[in-house]
Each structure stands twice: as structure tokens, then as C-alpha cells.
Amino acid sequence: MLEGVYRVLSDAIYFNLIREDRYMLFVNGLKVSIQLTVFAAIIGVIIGLLMAIAKLTNNKILNRIATTYTDVIRGTPSVVQLIVIYYAILGSSQLPKLLVASLAFGINSGAYVTELIRAGIQAVDKGQMEAARSLGLSYSQAMRYVIVPQAVKNILPALVSEFIVLLKETAVAGYIALDDLTRAGTIVRGRTFDPYTPFILVALIYLYITSVLTAFMGRLERRLRQSD
């Protein structure tokens, strides 16, 4: 019985990874997924910071724009946003698929990062702003040099958690034929006609990466508690 199980596993590994160097499909797909996640995270943090500040200003127009943005993006599925941006908004452009997907997922992530940063800024003691203004700093300077750095420190673990969620959300990038990790599993399945093994491999890769990031988040939280 054990011999039969071993033979099945060895055949699955051979046909899905070794034969025709199919493991390279997973390697290249992983590279695309990581690049997509990093680019989207950078875009999301930039958008989130700008929208969070807009939400906290007394300007009603900026506040309404930021509120509408977060409500619309958080209220619609990321895969729908990806398809709309790729086929409807940027359908006539010649932009690389990786860039388009990064924009789509960055815009999606930005809505969640907005709320994280807004909560982090509001958690900073109001006396910090008053002290900064009393020292002669303008509102923008006080936000840049005093408030935002403290807010980022408070929300850093939550940002890492958002990065983990973003990594998993990018698994739908195959809807625009981007050769990410999940699409690599689909391609291998189409060649081997194995309905399970390719996606089990994809799941294990995602699990390993998220486990590493989760461990990093735990260490980061401990370091931050020690510094406090």
C-alpha cells in the first residue's frame, strides 16, 4: 500500500514539476506574483496616505472624494475592479499587463490602507500636533515629520497583514492572462490533465510565503513593544 502511495506521489511530482522543466512555470509565476504584490503595495501605501490625509482635512470636497473612493473600492470585488480597469478603462492602451494589474490591485489596497492610516493618525495624541505647531511647523510639516511617522509605527503590523492579504488577492490576476503563480498551476494542469496536484503545489507555495510573512509580523510586533 505504501509503495502504491509512493508511486502515485513520485509520478505526480515528475509529471507536474520535472518533466519538460515545468517547475520553471511555478518559479516564473512566483516571480510575477511577488513583483505584482510589491508594486501594488507601494501604490496602495501612496494612495492610502493621500486619501487618509484628505479624509482628515476640513476640505469638504477632498473629504467627499476620499470617502467615495474608499466606499466604492471596498464595496466591490477586486477581480471586478481588475477586469474593468484592464478591459474598459485601459483596454486601448499598450501598457504591460503587470503594470495594469499593479495599478488595479494598488487602487484596491489603497482603500484599505486609507482606513489603516487614518486610524493610526487619529490614534496619535492631539498634543503632538499642538506641540509641533507651537514650534513653528506648518500643518503639512507637522504631519510629515511628527504625526505620520508615529502613525506608521502604530499601524506597521497591520500594514504587513494587508501585504499578506494583497499577496493572496493577486491570485486572480490570471483573469487578464497574466502569468502569475496561480495561472502557472492552470497551465501545468492543462498539460498534465492532473486536476489536483498543480493547485496543491500553488497552495503550498502561498502557505509558505504567508507563513514567513506572518512570522516576520510577529517579530516586528515584539520589537515595537520593546521600543515602547
Side-chain angles (χ1 to χ4, degrees):
M1 181 177 179
L2 290 177
E3 182 179 351
V5 173
Y6 174 78
R7 183 178 302 169
V8 171
L9 289 175
S10 61
D11 288 345
I13 292 173
Y14 173 75
F15 284 108
N16 289 279
L17 288 176
I18 300 175
R19 188 172 181 178
E20 298 178 356
D21 292 334
R22 287 173 182 152
Y23 70 93
M24 288 302 302
L25 292 171
F26 292 100
V27 172
N28 294 330
L30 178 60
K31 290 179 182 178
V32 172
S33 293
I34 292 177
Q35 288 177 336
L36 176 57
T37 304
V38 171
F39 294 155
I42 294 172
I43 295 172
V45 169
I46 294 173
I47 294 176
L49 179 59
L50 295 175
M51 292 295 104
I53 294 175
K55 270 196 165 189
L56 295 172
T57 61
N58 294 324
N59 189 307
K60 292 184 179 180
I61 296 177
L62 292 178
N63 189 286
R64 174 53 59 184
I65 292 174
T67 300
T68 303
Y69 160 74
T70 54
D71 289 346
V72 170
I73 297 300
R74 295 174 69 188
T76 54
S78 59
V79 63
V80 174
Q81 297 165 16
L82 174 65
I83 293 173
V84 169
I85 290 175
Y86 182 74
Y87 289 106
I89 299 177
L90 299 176
S92 60
S93 69
Q94 300 297 322
L95 294 175
K97 293 178 181 178
L98 180 61
L99 177 58
V100 175
S102 298
L103 288 172
F105 288 112
I107 292 172
N108 177 270
S109 179
Y112 297 92
V113 174
T114 295
E115 295 303 314
L116 290 177
I117 296 178
R118 181 187 61 80
I121 291 175
Q122 290 181 325
V124 177
D125 191 277
K126 293 182 179 179
Q128 296 289 320
M129 175 62 78
E130 295 172 357
R133 296 302 298 272
S134 66
L135 291 174
L137 297 178
S138 65
Y139 178 82
S140 59
Q141 289 176 326
M143 288 293 292
R144 179 180 178 183
Y145 297 111
V146 179
I147 305 302
V148 172
Q150 294 184 63
V152 169
K153 179 183 177 181
N154 292 335
I155 66 172
L156 203 53
L159 283 176
V160 177
S161 180
E162 169 60 23
F163 186 83
I164 294 173
V165 173
L166 181 60
L167 172 65
K168 292 184 290 184
E169 284 189 345
T170 59
V172 299
Y175 275 89
I176 62 171
L178 183 65
D179 292 330
D180 67 327
L181 182 57
T182 303
R183 183 168 169 80
T186 302
I187 294 173
V188 171
R189 184 187 64 173
R191 295 179 182 179
T192 63
F193 301 103
D194 186 336
Y196 308 113
T197 306
F199 290 111
I200 290 175
L201 292 172
V202 170
L204 290 174
I205 294 172
Y206 274 117
L207 177 62
Y208 175 76
I209 297 174
T210 55
S211 298
V212 171
L213 291 174
T214 302
F216 170 75
M217 183 173 65
R219 293 185 61 183
L220 180 62
E221 289 179 336
R222 289 192 294 271
R223 290 285 295 274
L224 291 176
R225 283 198 297 265
Q226 291 174 359
S227 65
D228 290 337

